[in-house]
Amino acid sequence: MDIKNSPIGFFDSGVGGLSVMKEAIRLMPNEDYIYFGDSQNAPYGTKSLEEVRKLTINAVDLLLERNAKAIVVACNTATSAAIDLIRHKYKEVPIIGIEPALKLAVKYNRKGSIIIMATPMTLREEKFKHLMENYDKDYNIISLPCAKLVEFIEQGVIEGKDLENYLKQKLEPYLVDEIGVIVLGCTHYPFVRKTLYNIVDKNVPIIDGGVGTSQELKRRLEEKGLLTDKSQKGEVVILNSNGSKETISLCERLINM
Ligand code: DGL
């Protein structure tokens, strides 16, 4: 098969990366997609760097074995832990990562703080520190680690009292002051945006990096002459390390949201 018409491989620690792949499908509907969620090992954000690196390499190998023409690491945590490593290991393959959309947040030019919600690992790693260096002198940026949020979403809990109480308790200290923008720096979190708006003022933009990452993916494929030439809608294959019926039906629910 012509490599152009091979699938684009997506990977996340679980179901979160579907929030990014949905945007890519919207932008490039004729491409084929293969998604691997490592729900068996989620959450990654509270694991050691070594563990996340090993799991990321396993996931990339799995996608390449299935002929992926490019890899999207649709996980902020795996990107911060392993993107340099995998780009070095798989030099021939276009590899696109994701990071908290701080650059986009400042473009809103709003008064008040910028709150970045992400996993403890994403907020601790060098990559994020470098990103912050560009902005923290001029903006009031608050890093808000939400270690348990991935677990809620992996269990299919994207609304309801328990989740709302958890989010309230996380955000309460910052609600007294003006919030400018909230950045969802974990690909699972866009699925709880609606619940977040029960807590945060409706005028506060709650943004994520899904669209930006998909545009970057398209740009990279174009540059390498790897965009599909098919003219009908592509196929989407979803794989998960936890092959349970519940996880598969959760994936179907989230991708159709
Ligand atoms: N979706 C992953 C991210 O963007 C969640 C990581 C985790 O499993 O903790 O960071």
Side-chain angles (χ1 to χ4, degrees):
M1 188 168 65
D2 186 356
I3 182 161
K4 271 186 185 170
N5 294 322
S6 295
I8 301 168
F10 271 73
F11 151 67
D12 178 48
S13 65
V15 299
L18 292 168
S19 67
V20 185
M21 194 171 77
K22 274 165 69 158
E23 298 300 341
I25 295 172
R26 205 167 286 161
L27 189 65
M28 296 174 285
N30 297 345
E31 295 287 346
D32 287 343
Y33 293 87
I34 176 162
Y35 181 94
F36 174 65
D38 193 10
S39 294
Q40 183 79 17
N41 292 302
Y44 279 12
T46 48
K47 287 189 161 46
S48 75
L49 213 50
E50 272 324 298
E51 277 175 291
V52 174
R53 286 182 175 156
K54 216 188 279 168
L55 293 167
T56 303
I57 289 174
N58 290 347
V60 175
D61 282 342
L62 182 146
L63 291 168
L64 292 178
E65 273 161 28
R66 284 165 174 77
N67 272 332
K69 64 179 174 188
I71 301 288
V72 180
V73 183
C75 175
N76 291 263
T77 307
T79 299
S80 56
I83 197 87
D84 293 341
L85 184 76
I86 56 174
R87 282 192 177 135
H88 187 74
K89 193 168 158 61
Y90 310 94
K91 288 200 179 67
E92 308 306 314
V93 189
I95 297 180
I96 292 91
I98 188 164
E99 63 179 14
L102 195 46
K103 202 168 151 189
L104 177 62
V106 302
K107 283 194 185 145
Y108 278 81
N109 206 8
R110 282 173 54 95
K111 270 204 334 210
S113 58
I114 297 174
I115 298 185
I116 306 187
M117 299 171 69
T119 70
M121 186 178 289
T122 298
L123 298 173
R124 202 174 52 223
E125 276 311 302
E126 282 303 307
K127 205 169 181 305
F128 182 70
K129 286 187 193 141
H130 289 313
L131 180 69
M132 281 285 271
E133 277 163 14
N134 298 325
Y135 301 101
D136 62 355
K137 276 186 249 18
D138 301 320
Y139 301 92
N140 177 21
I141 303 173
I142 295 158
S143 297
L144 185 59
C146 300
K148 268 190 68 175
L149 192 45
V150 165
E151 289 174 57
F152 275 106
I153 300 160
E154 283 292 314
Q155 283 158 17
V157 180
I158 55 172
E159 56 191 3
K161 269 280 147 277
D162 288 352
L163 174 66
E164 208 166 309
N165 286 341
Y166 174 79
L167 292 171
K168 233 182 231 153
Q169 175 231 322
K170 283 278 161 192
L171 286 161
E172 212 132 57
Y174 311 107
L175 292 172
V176 283
D177 299 314
E178 194 165 0
I179 299 178
V181 181
I182 295 183
V183 177
L184 303 178
C186 167
T187 56
H188 280 72
Y189 301 174
F191 294 118
V192 300
R193 188 183 268 112
K194 211 172 123 200
T195 305
L196 276 166
Y197 274 125
N198 292 343
I199 299 160
V200 176
D201 189 284
K202 300 275 178 299
N203 295 317
V204 176
I206 301 181
I207 64 169
D208 65 80
V211 171
T213 303
S214 303
Q215 288 166 342
E216 172 65 6
L217 167 66
K218 186 173 181 198
R219 202 187 59 73
R220 295 282 296 280
L221 291 174
E222 225 156 25
E223 185 183 86
K224 297 234 172 227
L226 286 176
L227 284 172
T228 185
D229 52 21
K230 286 190 293 184
S231 52
Q232 75 278 22
K233 203 173 163 11
E235 271 179 18
V236 178
V237 173
I238 295 179
L239 308 171
N240 197 288
S241 56
N242 157 10
S244 78
K245 271 201 199 103
E246 288 79 8
T247 306
I248 299 300
S249 69
L250 174 62
C251 291
E252 278 158 13
R253 186 173 139 216
L254 297 178
I255 202 153
N256 292 315
M257 248 172 81

